[in-house]
Amino acid sequence: MKEKLNQIREEALAAISAENADLEQIRIKYLGKKGELTAVLRGMGALSAEERPIIGQIANEVRTEIENSLSSATQALKEKELQKKLIEEKIDVTMPAADIKVGKLHPLTQIQRRIEEIFIGMGFSIAEGPEVELDYYNFQALNIPENHPARDTQDTFYITENILLRSQTSPVQVRTMEKQKPPIRIISPGRVYRSDAVDATHSPLFHQVEGLVVDKGITMGDLKGMLETFAKTLFGDETRLRFRPHHFPFTEPSAEVDVSCFVCGGKGCRVCKNEGWIEILGAGMVHPFVLSNCGIDPEVYSGFAFGVGIERVAMTKYGIDDMRLLYENDMRFLEQF
Ligand code: PHE
């Protein structure tokens, strides 16, 4: 029996120290319920009373030795796996980091902020007005009574007969003059709505920046000078302005204002559609009717107003030929600005 135990010991220890030993399999083979060592221990009943304790002691020693050997082999294996992991998963801190995607402002927001900056630099402050507006502010107070043909060109979305989505930022002129007495110098950027079908140059939702200056002795010369400063700052020093006579019910005289094409300088190109000029805003001297409607005496005060199309400016400045691109949120497009 002694020999049998020694043999088990040697075999087991050799198996454990072999390369790629399956340690759990070895444990089962020798120490398990049906294992070889267990079988020997079962046979001990057949031994004599003298032999039994001696063999029992050896058997225990063999068991302990195999157990110890198994546990240090297990430990060593774990250690080896850890080392392997540490090497394989080593992080090279000198490697350049993966790109982080940083968002940026939408081109329309960029242009709006730029326009705001320019006017704030000229002493204007920013006024706000509601997008859901009363018919009174959007039309009547601006000298556009019911059935006036100007309503046709600014057909909008009605909530009730008297409440609508504003078709222009001009109602903010009236709201400002009602609250504030001259001198007034404000701009008001925001969304406006018209029931236009979507195409390359129309959208039912777009953006304007309204401007209003009211004080004693304000003339058309002030309007022209201020708009020229604005256009040169935004499009470059060579920019020229062209005032075309126009009609708005709430300004008199009125003009549509074009800037010389900043791409071709006025010769004609794709961006200006061979015109040499690009229309970007409507403007004029505030109509006496509007002033007195707001409690401002037109005999004492005068003023000018203008409305810039933000989409127009963005498309002109960036050479965008289809307005829909501005609303589709395609990253490939937006990333360019
Ligand atoms: N509100 C006008 C429009 O939307 C533009 C404008 C504003 C014209 C101020 C004159 C003065 O067409």
Side-chain angles (χ1 to χ4, degrees):
M1 254 194 147
K2 239 184 189 167
E3 288 79 66
K4 180 72 189 155
L5 284 169
N6 278 330
Q7 194 196 331
I8 288 174
R9 182 205 337 247
E10 249 129 69
E11 273 180 27
L13 295 184
I16 292 167
S17 58
E19 203 155 339
N20 294 327
D22 184 339
L23 299 174
E24 180 55 12
Q25 213 48 54
I26 294 169
R27 192 190 63 76
I28 293 165
K29 180 166 182 218
Y30 294 101
L31 308 180
K33 267 189 189 149
K34 293 172 186 161
E36 292 186 23
L37 186 66
T38 320
V40 173
L41 291 173
R42 280 216 186 95
M44 292 225 326
L47 295 174
S48 68
E50 298 87 61
E51 269 182 315
R52 209 175 294 151
I54 301 165
I55 297 297
Q57 200 190 343
I58 298 172
N60 274 335
E61 279 168 16
V62 170
R63 161 173 281 275
T64 316
E65 237 178 292
I66 295 174
E67 275 173 356
N68 288 345
S69 176
L70 272 174
S71 83
S72 50
T74 309
Q75 198 54 42
L77 193 67
K78 275 192 189 151
E79 196 69 29
K80 214 168 120 192
E81 269 165 12
L82 181 66
Q83 286 306 325
K84 198 172 144 208
K85 252 191 165 173
L86 284 176
I87 289 166
E88 278 176 2
E89 294 171 16
K90 192 161 71 180
I91 295 169
D92 181 353
V93 291
T94 66
M95 288 271 281
D99 268 2
I100 298 170
K101 278 222 179 225
V102 181
K104 51 178 159 174
L105 296 176
H106 189 281
L108 288 177
T109 312
Q110 289 183 37
I111 291 289
Q112 184 183 318
R113 299 247 175 120
R114 184 77 193 103
I115 295 174
E116 289 172 6
E117 258 170 36
I118 295 172
F119 282 108
I120 286 170
M122 291 194 276
F124 284 69
S125 50
I126 294 181
E128 277 185 280
E131 288 172 32
V132 178
E133 187 52 287
L134 293 171
D135 182 281
Y136 175 76
Y137 288 107
N138 195 78
F139 291 128
Q140 291 169 49
L142 290 168
N143 202 20
I144 311 172
E146 238 176 288
N147 303 320
H148 190 289
R151 291 200 180 212
D152 286 348
T153 59
Q154 297 204 4
D155 192 16
T156 182
F157 304 95
Y158 284 81
I159 286 145
T160 67
E161 215 177 307
N162 288 316
I163 301 172
L164 44 80
L165 294 182
R166 65 179 181 186
S167 61
Q168 48 186 350
T169 43
S170 301
V172 186
Q173 288 186 36
V174 180
R175 287 182 173 275
T176 304
M177 288 189 280
E178 276 183 353
K179 279 193 304 238
Q180 195 183 329
K181 294 303 137 197
I184 293 170
R185 210 184 310 176
I186 58 105
I187 56 163
S188 185
R191 293 193 191 96
V192 299
Y193 303 83
R194 290 185 196 177
S195 60
D196 284 333
V198 176
D199 66 22
T201 54
H202 292 87
S203 162
L205 181 163
F206 60 104
H207 302 75
Q208 290 184 333
V209 180
E210 193 78 8
L212 174 70
V213 171
V214 184
D215 203 351
K216 286 179 179 153
I218 298 292
T219 69
M220 191 106 181
D222 296 312
L223 170 64
K224 291 184 88 171
M226 193 246 14
L227 285 181
E228 204 163 281
T229 306
F230 163 67
K232 283 180 193 267
T233 314
L234 191 61
F235 293 110
D237 264 344
E238 306 72 40
T239 312
R240 285 163 295 131
L241 286 186
R242 181 171 77 172
F243 283 66
R244 278 181 291 106
H246 196 72
H247 173 261
F248 295 108
F250 40 94
T251 48
E252 180 59 35
S254 304
E256 275 188 335
V257 180
D258 307 333
V259 290
S260 56
C261 178
F262 77 109
V263 175
C264 63
K267 286 191 209 79
C269 69
R270 194 184 59 90
V271 171
C272 60
K273 305 209 165 61
N274 277 322
E275 296 273 336
W277 297 96
I278 300 165
E279 184 206 321
I280 57 159
L281 59 90
M285 300 307 291
V286 181
H287 198 293
F289 172 89
V290 179
L291 289 174
S292 35
N293 243 341
C294 302
I296 295 175
D297 185 352
E299 297 296 329
V300 180
Y301 294 102
S302 57
F304 64 74
F306 59 90
V308 187
I310 299 184
E311 277 80 356
R312 264 294 165 81
V313 172
M315 291 169 76
T316 303
K317 195 164 164 63
Y318 296 130
I320 299 166
D321 57 9
D322 193 324
M323 197 168 173
R324 287 167 285 201
L325 289 166
L326 289 167
Y327 307 116
E328 282 167 355
N329 283 336
D330 185 334
M331 290 296 284
R332 293 167 302 180
F333 170 75
L334 294 174
E335 266 167 2
Q336 302 173 52
F337 307 100

